[in-house]
Amino acid sequence: MRALRILLRHRVTRWLRDPTWGTGTVAGQVVLLGFLLVLLAPLGLGSYVLGEVLRELYPETSALSLINGGMLYLVPVFMASRFLTQPPPSEHVAPYVSLPISGTGLLNGQAALSLLSLHTVFAVVLVGPVWAREIATAWTPVGAGAWLVAALLLTIVLASHGANLLHLLLGRRP
């Protein structure tokens, strides 16, 4: 836990000091955040109306079964996108070797921090509206909560660690 706290503090400090992020001003970061919201709004809206679209396209099939079946296809998509765009956690280790953190704690912390990315935001924007519109209203609170946890574990954690495993297995960047 100590390693994760140190790594997170250093990552936030590095992010705040990075001159290439936006224009380096609050206004520039607000503009970039606005562009991100413009990109994510249609994705979230499409996710919100997914059940209605599936009911129109396939009236004989349950929309929930189609959604649950389609969730499995998100895992390889997110894993491939993370594999192609994110470096493995072992590349982020060099700046932190001099810190008083064990090697195992350092790699575990970097693996945990790899979950904090834009891919995670996309997964939440895809899963959250579907859950709010279709699952939360149709299932019991315990079942709906379990579905949300399972969907987020699949789309975020499994995809992130799967991409890290692919980097390791393919020896792309050991």
Side-chain angles (χ1 to χ4, degrees):
M1 189 54 122
R2 178 176 167 260
L4 186 62
R5 189 178 69 245
I6 290 172
L7 291 172
L8 186 61
R9 184 178 65 228
H10 279 82
R11 187 170 285 188
V12 168
T13 303
R14 186 183 69 201
W15 176 72
L16 291 174
R17 292 180 182 169
D18 188 6
T20 62
W21 174 247
T23 61
T25 64
V26 173
Q29 292 178 6
V30 167
V31 168
L32 286 176
L33 182 62
F35 285 142
L36 181 64
L37 290 176
V38 166
L39 175 70
L40 292 178
L43 189 64
L45 183 62
S47 181
Y48 189 74
V49 298
L50 180 65
E52 297 299 321
V53 171
L54 289 176
R55 282 186 197 88
E56 290 290 325
L57 291 174
Y58 305 103
E60 67 280 350
T61 309
S62 168
L64 289 177
S65 65
L66 290 173
I67 289 170
N68 286 335
M71 290 295 292
L72 294 177
Y73 294 108
L74 282 178
V75 175
V77 168
F78 279 128
M79 189 166 60
S81 68
R82 282 181 186 265
F83 177 76
L84 294 173
T85 59
Q86 280 186 333
S90 60
E91 278 195 8
H92 298 290
V93 172
Y96 303 109
V97 171
S98 62
L99 295 175
I101 304 172
S102 69
T104 305
L106 182 62
L107 286 177
N108 288 338
Q110 290 293 1
L113 288 179
S114 72
L115 298 174
L116 301 175
S117 71
L118 190 59
H119 299 280
T120 302
V121 174
F122 278 113
V124 170
V125 165
L126 282 174
V127 170
V130 168
W131 177 81
R133 178 81 183 255
E134 298 294 327
I135 308 299
T137 59
W139 291 9
T140 65
V142 174
W147 187 93
L148 181 64
V149 168
L152 291 177
L153 282 174
L154 280 173
T155 58
I156 296 172
V157 177
L158 184 64
S160 174
H161 293 327
N164 291 339
L165 181 63
L166 274 176
H167 279 292
L168 182 68
L169 291 176
L170 295 178
R172 186 171 166 196
R173 294 184 215 141

